[in-house]
Amino acid sequence: DGMNILFIIVDDLRPVLGCYGDKLVKSPNIDQLASQSMVFSNAYAQQALCAPSRVSFLTGRRPDTTRLYDFYSYWRVHAGNYSTMPQYFKENGYVTLSVGKVFHPGVSSNYSDDYPYSWSIPPFHPSAEKHENDKTCRGKDGKLYANLVCPVNVTEMPGGTLPDIQSTEEAIHLLNTMKTKGQKFFLAVGYHKPHIPLRYPQEFLKLYPLENITLAPDPWVPKKLPSVAYNPWMDIRQRDDVEALNVSFPYGPLPDDFQRQIRQSYYAAVSYLDVQIGLLLSALDNAGLSNNTIVVFTADHGWSLGEHGEWAKYSNFDVATRVPLMFYVPGMTTSPVSQGAKLFPYLDPFSHIGGSAPQGQSKEVVELVSLFPTLAELAGLQVPPACPGTSFGVELCTEGTSIVHYFNVSEGKLEEGCDNTARCFNEEPVAFSQYPRPADSPQWDSDKPRLKDIRVMGYSMRATGYRYTLWVHFDPSNFTADFQDVHAGELYMMENDPNQDYNIYNNTSHGW
């Protein structure tokens, strides 16, 4: 009857995970999933901002086709009535369910998370979500603040809980309901952390003593970084604890000790998230569903932790665009387990030592826009056709390419006689990302310009060996980029500059 799908989306998670080689983080449950999965180590989002990224991978179209670069339009009205991935599964006999933050809530999903098109029942949002930005962080003076760094006592929180805890409980409830009813499901579960504020149960701080936390390897603003490329992390500055530091705009560095605290809290939030995923996956096991459920784990984009003197997302660098991506496919990435055997027993990050290596790993460059065709193929559905050059009038097509052919192919092997629709193995894959700016130099809305204020678009191409970005004139009234009007460029060669600190764009002939 085809496989169920459990699609886990995390907000603002860069690949700081044991299975990605991070030596500090404790993520035993995600690592355990990786040990049964195909793991992609070079996966990239199409825009490092929540709403545009999610609409892009859920429709299988790039931001220039969804015409969403901010939060303030609904693609079905504003661009084209595009089918979504959950809608496609729903139309193919699946019960489709959404828990937590899957689509970005608000205008960009029609205030309904695109229900009823995408989902069989109204999406679930945790009641604690509305308190995310309340003053719930206790300062040294005992008063409550809306801080960036926010370890909390969960029993003191409104309702005595946190949103991700509620989402896990609801997702487990839905898994058990689907099992009882014997219905084929597509369950998307969206987790908030490590999105700011970095609010998580305070006991997770114990996992990361401050003396073990280093600064970013490159905590300075690169000398040759074009000013248009820099994001001034306004949302960080607006938090009470950061505001109190009076950091100069736009480049003023945060004090070193505070940088370490942010990095410590980001890691703590990741371990808190790992616990939620461990509980969810062990519930999948306990319901007897792990043998016939594909599990996908990814994030909407990454997050800078002080690299290039930047914080948050809002850029085209790897730290903002690179995401974890793994697929557990029963019988394909692992052999089927015997009845009753546990694939995903819950692992406690406080007592579990050591991570697990990925089952399979691909270094091929892939994009989140490819999730839709990939999941369709893995589930045995017809893969949506590739979109024509302009596809505003086409309801069902994808601008991504299924990456299933990377699952079983040894590195670099050429595929014989590949057709035009499949990306051939001898053609180097690249990932495209983009970011809008309102001006050539950092200003208050550089991170999140509204559509009408966009004047420059940074188009970025990531191949195995380099990242190449052009910042060009953009006209928001007709959504056109003028590649003859280049405002700035960036070129980083990965082999000798893996952190993308030395822009050699002006050292090269631009025609290469």
Side-chain angles (χ1 to χ4, degrees), residues 286-444:
N286 294 339
L289 291 166
S290 14
N291 251 345
N292 63 343
T293 302
I294 294 167
V295 182
V296 191
F297 175 86
T298 192
D300 55 359
H301 42 71
W303 213 77
S304 302
L305 282 166
E307 294 87 359
H308 315 113
E310 295 180 314
W311 299 89
K313 44 243 184 183
Y314 317 125
S315 85
N316 283 319
F317 282 120
D318 274 21
V319 282
T321 55
R322 183 170 167 246
V323 293
L325 177 62
M326 60 189 79
F327 298 84
Y328 158 69
V329 188
M332 185 182 196
T333 60
T334 54
S335 313
V337 289
S338 56
Q339 202 57 41
K342 293 279 181 274
L343 257 184
F344 304 117
Y346 172 74
L347 302 173
D348 181 352
F350 290 91
S351 56
H352 187 80
I353 310 294
S356 348
Q359 169 65 22
Q361 196 154 18
S362 171
K363 293 187 175 134
E364 296 288 356
V365 171
V366 297
E367 310 176 279
L368 288 188
V369 76
S370 294
L371 275 170
F372 188 169
T374 303
L375 269 178
E377 182 173 344
L378 288 173
L381 303 180
Q382 192 168 352
V383 179
C387 291
T390 37
S391 61
F392 295 107
V394 184
E395 281 188 27
L396 179 66
C397 69
T398 173
E399 293 178 325
T401 312
S402 171
I403 58 173
V404 173
H405 57 274
Y406 291 142
F407 280 52
N408 293 325
V409 176
S410 57
E411 291 287 333
K413 181 179 153 197
L414 292 182
E415 198 173 61
E416 295 301 317
C418 65
D419 59 31
N420 295 334
T421 56
R423 185 179 274 154
C424 300
F425 272 77
N426 54 3
E427 184 186 312
E428 186 185 20
V430 293
F432 294 99
S433 302
Q434 61 191 100
Y435 212 86
R437 294 281 187 240
D440 284 322
S441 51
Q443 55 186 55
W444 68 272

Side-chain angles (χ1 to χ4, degrees), residues 17-37:
L17 299 164
C19 53
Y20 278 85
D22 192 290
K23 300 285 187 278
L24 186 64
V25 76
K26 293 179 170 58
S27 54
N29 294 289
I30 299 169
D31 297 347
Q32 179 171 250
L33 174 64
S35 75
Q36 307 287 341
S37 298

Side-chain angles (χ1 to χ4, degrees), residues 31-246:
D31 297 347
Q32 179 171 250
L33 174 64
S35 75
Q36 307 287 341
S37 298
M38 184 68 190
V39 175
F40 287 87
S41 54
N42 274 305
Y44 296 89
Q46 274 46 78
Q47 189 181 324
L49 187 64
C50 307
S53 173
R54 288 161 187 266
V55 168
S56 171
F57 68 69
L58 288 163
T59 60
R61 320 269 184 136
R62 300 181 187 280
D64 279 349
T65 305
T66 65
R67 293 184 162 175
L68 182 71
Y69 315 104
D70 57 14
F71 301 89
Y72 307 108
S73 62
Y74 179 41
W75 78 92
R76 291 186 191 272
V77 173
H78 183 73
N81 187 28
Y82 311 142
S83 294
T84 67
M85 179 174 17
Q87 178 183 355
Y88 189 60
F89 277 85
K90 185 181 167 194
E91 288 165 355
N92 280 279
Y94 282 72
V95 176
T96 55
L97 307 158
S98 172
V99 171
K101 186 175 174 184
V102 178
F103 278 102
H104 195 280
V107 189
S108 61
S109 57
N110 204 33
Y111 298 100
S112 67
D113 300 84
D114 197 46
Y115 175 78
Y117 296 100
S118 287
W119 311 108
S120 303
I121 60 172
F124 169 86
H125 285 279
S127 58
E129 210 170 69
K130 59 181 175 290
H131 303 295
E132 266 297 86
N133 295 308
D134 290 2
K135 295 188 173 191
T136 52
C137 321
R138 202 167 290 288
K140 289 195 174 78
D141 57 6
K143 293 181 184 160
L144 292 176
Y145 295 91
N147 285 346
L148 170 63
V149 172
C150 187
V152 297
N153 179 338
V154 176
T155 59
E156 293 176 358
M157 292 300 97
T161 188
L162 290 170
D164 287 346
I165 294 171
Q166 289 184 296
S167 289
T168 301
E169 290 164 353
E170 177 65 15
I172 291 171
H173 164 71
L174 288 172
L175 281 177
N176 292 325
T177 304
M178 290 296 105
K179 168 70 174 177
T180 306
K181 291 185 173 173
Q183 289 177 307
K184 193 164 59 171
F185 62 84
F186 177 107
L187 170 59
V189 184
Y191 285 108
H192 280 271
K193 292 303 126 202
H195 193 287
I196 67 168
L198 298 169
R199 188 170 71 129
Y200 52 86
Q202 59 202 17
E203 58 268 25
F204 286 92
L205 273 178
K206 293 193 201 99
L207 294 172
Y208 302 102
L210 206 49
E211 60 268 24
N212 295 353
I213 307 295
T214 58
L215 297 180
D218 51 351
W220 63 87
V221 180
K223 285 192 179 64
K224 293 188 175 174
L225 182 72
S227 55
V228 69
Y230 184 80
N231 70 282
W233 35 280
M234 287 300 292
D235 57 351
I236 304 277
R237 294 169 190 274
Q238 287 156 7
R239 304 283 161 172
D240 291 349
D241 49 353
V242 181
E243 207 169 19
L245 298 169
N246 287 320

